[in-house]
Structure formats: C-alpha cells, structure tokens
Amino acid sequence: MKLTIRDIAKMANVSPTAVSFVINKKGSISDETRRRIEEVIRQTGFRPSINSRRLSAKKSFNICVVMDVGASLFSDMFYLGVTKGIQQEASALGYNIVLTDFSGSMPEIVLNRDTDGVIFFQDLESNMFDIVRGLSVPFVVADSHISHAPYPTVGIDNQRAAHAAIKHLLDCGHRDIAFLGPKNYPHLFESTHSGYNEAHMDSGLIPQKSRIYESDETTTSAGATMAMILDAKPWPTAVFCPGDRQAIGAMLRAQELGARVPEDISFMSIDDTMLCRYVRPQMTTVHIDMEQLGVHAMRLLHDQIDGKPTDNIILPMDEVVERDSVRRIG
C-alpha cells in the first residue's frame, strides 16, 4: 500500500501540514519536529507523488535552463560546468532541471508556464526579454557580460580576470602582447579589453592598438585570425584570448603554421575548462569557478521565485593557473 502524507503525519504525530512544510522546504516548524518528520520519511522510504506536490504547492518544480541553439553542453565545456552547479543547487532545493534551447523564439515549456523559473545562458535580446517579462516567469541570466543589465544576472568580473592574465604575462617578461577578443560578444570584448589596457597602464606601458584583433568565439574563427597575425612581422611574443576555445583554436593554428609554443609565441586565456589540460602544451589560464556561477544563478532564481528582493551578482575571479603555454622571458 502506497503511503500518503497523512500516513507520515500519523507516524510522526504531527499534522499533514507540517509534513508538507518539510517536503516542500516551506513554512515554519521547530527543528525537533522537522527532524522527527525527516526520520520517519527516511525509515519508510516515503516519496511524495510529484503531482500531489505540484497541486498542493501550485508549482511545477521544474527549472528550465535555456541556451542558444548554436551552443551545446557537449561542445562548450564552460556551460557544462555551469549546468553542473545549477543541477547541484536545484536538487538541494527540490527542483528538477529541464534543458532546452531557443533560436529566435521562446521554448514552449516557458510559454506554457510549465516551469517555476528560467535560467538563460548569456544576455537576452530585447525581444526575448520582453516576452519572458510579459509571461511573469521568474528568470536569471547566467554568465551575463552586461554590468548593469535591466534583469537579474550573475556574471564574472571579466575586466579583473583579464587584468590578472595580462599582469601574469607582463610579470613573465612579455611586452608585445596581442589581444584576440570575441567580436560576437561585444560586452565581453569591451570588459576584457579594458582589463588588458588597465594592466599595461598599471605597469607604466602604453598598450598597442595595432595588437588588438577579433574573431568569433570559435576555434575555427580564432585560428583564421591567428593565421592573419602570423602573416605580419614581427610576431607578438604572447597572445591573450578571453576564452579557452579562442585561445586553443589560435594556438593550434599557430602550431600548424610552424610556430613553436611557447618558444616563439605564448598563449593565455580565461576560463580553465578541462580542455586546457588536454592540449599540448597545456594552457595557462585564469580560473573561473563555473560550478559556483551555476550555484549562484540557481540561488538568485530561487529568491526570485520566493519573491525576495535580489541584486545582480558579479563574481570576482582572478586566480592564475600556470601551466606550459607561457614562456618566461629574461
């Protein structure tokens, strides 16, 4: 016979409402009562009906994670790490994660309001923002590149991360450092370029405008731009990219064209995805705690769902992970 909330309440000598509070992580009950209910649930292996939970709480217990249709968790290691953090925190809060994508239109699960909240990867186009706001569905943007976005966001202090990367290259003796930024993410380009300039000026150096390049944030596009950099002489002693995929694409193309890494050209990035450890030489990078980014996004969304006041979050991350792709000069 399948146990019900009423059965658990009788065994624990409490009201069904108290059991519901424990199951749904809501309401105010004493620690002693909560522990007694949790012990009965543990001993009986009780699992409440999801439909009953949805009806009683008037919630779906779904969190929708939305990415652009051109992205994939299996090809983008950064968002794989962020999703892991979201999943861990969502599970702790009693939610399921539903992964979906969009290309110019909002996913049906959001339009049908079959989700309690939505986490978008990267900033929204204005038309998407208007749609989701009109649906009155709580949402958060994870990995936002806009410092003062008009919607709830969690992002990295990319200027600070870029400053740390360039400072490391300068400390290693490099003075001719190329910046290869993502033209398809202008806010990320701007913030990391600011960090590049700031680090130079902090060291009493004037950054060279002729060493600023751009490509799409893909290995192929970065490789094509790297070929163009190598066509000109002299070569920079180091190339900095604000993302691992760009940096790895540029480095592999440089090696294909005969440049030795790091003897001829050094490479450095931001992110520290697992790809950095599998290329040769291994990539020196600024570590971004992707799982923490996901955890903060889920916590911020949970506050939105509960109607609590929220502030946008910018995570300061500037830890340099030194590997083999940067040569020390002198």
Side-chain angles (χ1 to χ4, degrees), residues 8-284:
I8 299 300
K10 188 174 181 179
M11 293 178 193
N13 195 27
V14 298
S15 69
T17 300
V19 177
S20 180
F21 281 168
V22 171
I23 292 171
N24 295 309
K25 297 180 171 58
K26 296 285 186 180
S28 178
I29 59 175
S30 69
D31 290 342
E32 181 183 348
T33 300
R34 183 178 299 277
R35 283 194 295 269
R36 189 161 71 249
I37 295 169
E38 288 174 341
E39 179 61 20
V40 172
I41 290 174
R42 186 190 66 79
Q43 290 178 353
T44 59
F46 174 70
R47 294 181 64 85
S49 163
I50 186 63
N51 289 330
S52 298
R53 287 187 67 201
R54 287 172 173 171
L55 288 171
S56 63
K58 296 181 181 179
K59 296 171 66 175
S60 70
F61 294 98
N62 290 330
I63 297 298
C64 188
V65 177
V66 183
M67 67 200 77
D68 188 274
V69 72
S72 167
L73 294 184
F74 304 104
S75 62
D76 194 323
M77 296 295 152
F78 185 90
Y79 289 122
L80 185 62
V82 177
T83 301
K84 184 177 180 181
I86 293 171
Q87 172 61 45
Q88 289 173 347
E89 188 65 15
S91 179
L93 293 169
Y95 289 94
N96 304 306
I97 292 296
V98 179
L99 296 174
T100 187
D101 57 32
F102 69 94
S103 178
S105 61
M106 194 64 65
E108 287 296 318
I109 188 174
V110 181
L111 293 174
N112 294 334
R113 296 181 179 85
D114 191 22
T115 179
D116 295 328
V118 184
I119 297 177
F120 293 95
F121 285 157
Q122 298 189 354
D123 297 289
L124 294 172
E125 298 290 341
S126 59
N127 63 320
M128 289 292 162
F129 171 56
D130 290 339
I131 291 171
V132 72
R133 183 173 58 180
L135 293 169
S136 299
V137 176
F139 74 97
V140 166
V141 172
D143 192 33
S144 171
H145 299 147
I146 301 177
S147 21
H148 301 289
Y151 41 75
T153 63
V154 179
I156 304 300
D157 187 340
N158 289 301
Q159 181 172 338
R160 178 170 176 166
H163 184 285
I166 300 304
K167 182 179 184 303
H168 177 73
L169 291 172
L170 292 171
D171 288 347
C172 288
H174 293 274
R175 295 296 180 269
D176 188 358
I177 304 169
F179 172 87
L180 175 51
K183 66 181 179 182
N184 50 331
Y185 296 116
H187 295 288
L188 177 60
F189 187 103
E190 180 183 353
S191 60
T192 50
H193 183 219
S194 294
Y196 170 91
N197 287 338
E198 185 181 65
H200 277 87
M201 291 185 288
D202 285 350
S203 297
L205 302 170
I206 299 175
Q208 302 177 52
K209 292 183 179 179
S210 62
R211 286 305 192 192
I212 307 303
Y213 304 90
E214 61 181 23
S215 74
D216 288 339
E217 197 186 33
T218 64
T219 53
T220 302
S221 182
T225 303
M226 191 66 224
M228 182 185 70
I229 294 173
L230 294 178
D231 279 342
K233 295 291 179 70
W235 291 350
T237 64
V239 174
F240 163 68
C241 300
D244 291 343
R245 286 199 298 172
Q246 265 192 311
I248 289 170
M251 184 178 75
L252 293 178
R253 184 61 175 148
Q255 290 172 316
E256 289 172 0
L257 294 173
R260 298 170 303 163
V261 181
E263 292 83 1
D264 296 327
I265 304 180
S266 295
F267 287 85
M268 187 162 185
S269 65
I270 297 174
D271 281 346
D272 194 24
T273 61
M274 67 174 67
L275 295 174
C276 292
R277 299 189 293 276
Y278 292 111
V279 292
R280 292 294 180 271
Q282 293 185 340
M283 182 68 66
T284 295

